[in-house]
Amino acid sequence: MEIPKQMKAFRFNHYGDIAENQRTAVPTVGPQDVLVYVRNSGLNPVDYKIQAGKLKTLFSFQLPLTMGNEFAGEVVQVGSQVQNFVVGDRVYGRPDNEHTGTLADYIAVPAQEIALLPDELDFQAASGVPLTGLTSYQALVELGHVQPGQKVFIQAGAGGIGTMAIQIAKALGAYVTTTASPEKTALVRSLGADQVINYHENYFADVLFHYDLVFDTLGGKYLRDSFKIVRPGGHVVTINGLPTYQFGQRHGFGLAKSLLFGAVSAPLRRLARKYRVHYDFLIMHPSGTQLQVLSQLIEAETLLPIIDRIYAFGETQAAYDYLESGHAQGKVIVNVNN
Ligand SMILES: NC(=O)c1ccc[n+]([C@@H]2O[C@H](COP(=O)([O-])OP(=O)(O)OC[C@H]3O[C@@H](n4cnc5c(N)ncnc54)[C@H](OP(=O)(O)O)[C@@H]3O)[C@@H](O)[C@H]2O)c1
């Protein structure tokens, strides 16, 4: 395939601006990168949070910025030091923040951040796996250390994260409880949820107790009340809470920012001490190796990506509007070149 110099990309110029289809340069490939012709991109709430400038304290992006944080496509060029991928490979991934921008014809991404697509998956289904799959894996395995037989509570089981997290927790052998609207109960049960709470009728913290892990996706009062339902020594892992001093140190934010994180999360850490529970804030990280584990679960038919809606590239803003309504059931996908 001949690689052009220019490509289409869904971009915004300043934080708070609307994004639109623009022409921009095809990215260049470093020695450890591959260039991928993007077939599909999954959408995630982090995309519109970045666009609105809500994550400026945590990450700096170079503007204008192409949106999109997960993709599936074909390798069209490999860097001089890349050994494990060749032109023509079907791959998927969640690029790091310096290589973000999956709503474009091409993306250059470090080879260590991608994996081969399982044979069973087409590009559309695969493009919705990396970000939510890796986040769930890191929450449940890296931070939560979930063991067979443990009781795991997952907030918002029908969303992009929830549909992945339920299946991964079941694959780890956990007993899984989740929350969902009545019309979404059948879906989360089909994914393996053992107990489903209709969150319009019951508040989770009033009916659950002695859990080994809460995976919080909602933050606010849902996060604060999570501590009440965890046994001493258990874990609360949030992807929508407040970072801690340790998080800042682990991720190289420097002393000043780490101290700030420590200050803002002090009330949560007090709750963690009161209930003798481990508290962790997770910002997911790209990992080709962990993506291979997810590929194995998909090949074993233990993990199935749930797709809600698929949009044409020209309808990307409508796709984001739907996702931002907060009622997606599984993943929202854009056909970039499909
Ligand atoms: N820190 C990280 O690394 C990281 C990574 C990924 C995601 N996140 C964050 O995690 C959050 C969830 O992401 P997502 O992709 O799952 O979002 P999503 O797909 O937009 O979630 C939508 C789902 O949430 C359900 N929901 C909303 N409020 C609920 C409630 N009170 N109780 C139960 N279910 C509820 C909705 O069901 P109904 O329609 O029935 O209300 C819907 O199915 C976002 O804020 C995202 O930014 C963080």
Side-chain angles (χ1 to χ4, degrees), residues 45 49 156 160-161 179 181 184 199 222 239-240 282 284 326-328:
K49 290 181 185 177
I161 291 287
T179 45
S181 293
K184 294 175 178 168
Y199 77 90
Y222 297 95
I239 54 173
N240 219 343
L282 169 68
M284 62 84 57
H327 297 297

Side-chain angles (χ1 to χ4, degrees), residues 43-46 48-49 94 131-132 135 138 155-163 179-184 197 199-200 216-218 222 238-240 281-285 323-331:
L43 305 190
N44 291 280
V46 68
Y48 55 74
K49 290 181 185 177
R94 188 285 197 244
L131 195 144
T132 49
T135 305
Q138 289 161 15
Q155 278 286 15
I161 291 287
T163 51
T179 45
S181 293
E183 65 275 17
K184 294 175 178 168
I197 295 169
Y199 77 90
H200 300 284
D216 169 66
T217 61
L218 296 175
Y222 297 95
T238 183
I239 54 173
N240 219 343
F281 171 70
L282 169 68
I283 289 282
M284 62 84 57
H285 55 88
L323 181 69
E324 204 164 354
S325 77
H327 297 297
Q329 182 165 294
K331 295 293 301 189

Side-chain angles (χ1 to χ4, degrees), residues 243-252 258 261-262 265 269 279-280:
T244 58
Y245 174 84
Q246 287 78 3
F247 168 89
Q249 291 291 289
R250 260 199 324 265
H251 293 269
S258 299
F261 293 161
S265 64
R269 287 183 291 108
Y279 168 64
D280 271 303

Side-chain angles (χ1 to χ4, degrees), residues 40-259:
N40 287 93
S41 174
L43 305 190
N44 291 280
V46 68
D47 307 353
Y48 55 74
K49 290 181 185 177
I50 292 171
Q51 184 187 10
K54 287 184 180 164
L55 299 182
K56 275 191 289 191
T57 328
L58 285 178
F59 309 114
S60 55
F61 293 96
Q62 207 185 333
L63 303 181
L65 186 72
T66 300
M67 293 183 71
N69 284 289
E70 60 182 353
F71 68 92
E74 288 160 70
V75 175
V76 291
Q77 196 182 343
V78 295
S80 56
Q81 293 171 14
V82 173
Q83 296 188 339
N84 43 349
F85 294 98
V86 295
V87 169
D89 279 347
R90 299 163 76 242
V91 295
Y92 63 161
R94 188 285 197 244
D96 64 80
N97 288 340
E98 282 170 26
H99 296 85
T100 184
T102 58
L103 284 158
D105 288 329
Y106 295 91
I107 183 164
V109 57
Q112 65 184 22
E113 296 177 0
I114 63 172
L116 290 174
L117 245 64
D119 289 340
E120 293 75 6
L121 282 196
D122 59 23
F123 289 120
Q124 286 177 331
S127 68
V129 171
L131 195 144
T132 49
L134 290 172
T135 305
S136 303
Y137 183 86
Q138 289 161 15
L140 297 167
V141 177
E142 271 186 8
L143 296 175
H145 310 289
V146 171
Q147 301 298 316
Q150 287 194 325
K151 284 166 67 183
V152 172
F153 173 60
I154 296 166
Q155 278 286 15
I161 291 287
T163 51
M164 280 285 162
I166 290 169
Q167 297 180 80
I168 294 172
K170 288 308 296 176
L172 294 167
Y175 175 90
V176 174
T177 299
T178 193
T179 45
S181 293
E183 65 275 17
K184 294 175 178 168
T185 298
L187 169 72
V188 295
R189 283 239 183 249
S190 75
L191 300 175
D194 298 286
Q195 187 182 349
V196 184
I197 295 169
N198 170 359
Y199 77 90
H200 300 284
E201 275 186 2
N202 288 307
Y203 189 54
F204 76 100
D206 294 336
V207 292
L208 303 179
F209 59 95
H210 215 66
Y211 271 67
D212 295 287
L213 168 76
V214 173
F215 179 17
D216 169 66
T217 61
L218 296 175
K221 70 170 180 158
Y222 297 95
L223 170 56
R224 288 193 296 277
D225 287 338
S226 295
F227 294 94
K228 296 178 187 165
I229 72 157
V230 175
R231 67 162 169 84
H235 294 261
V236 171
V237 179
T238 183
I239 54 173
N240 219 343
L242 295 167
T244 58
Y245 174 84
Q246 287 78 3
F247 168 89
Q249 291 291 289
R250 260 199 324 265
H251 293 269
F253 278 101
L255 184 61
K257 258 191 183 170
S258 299
L259 286 170

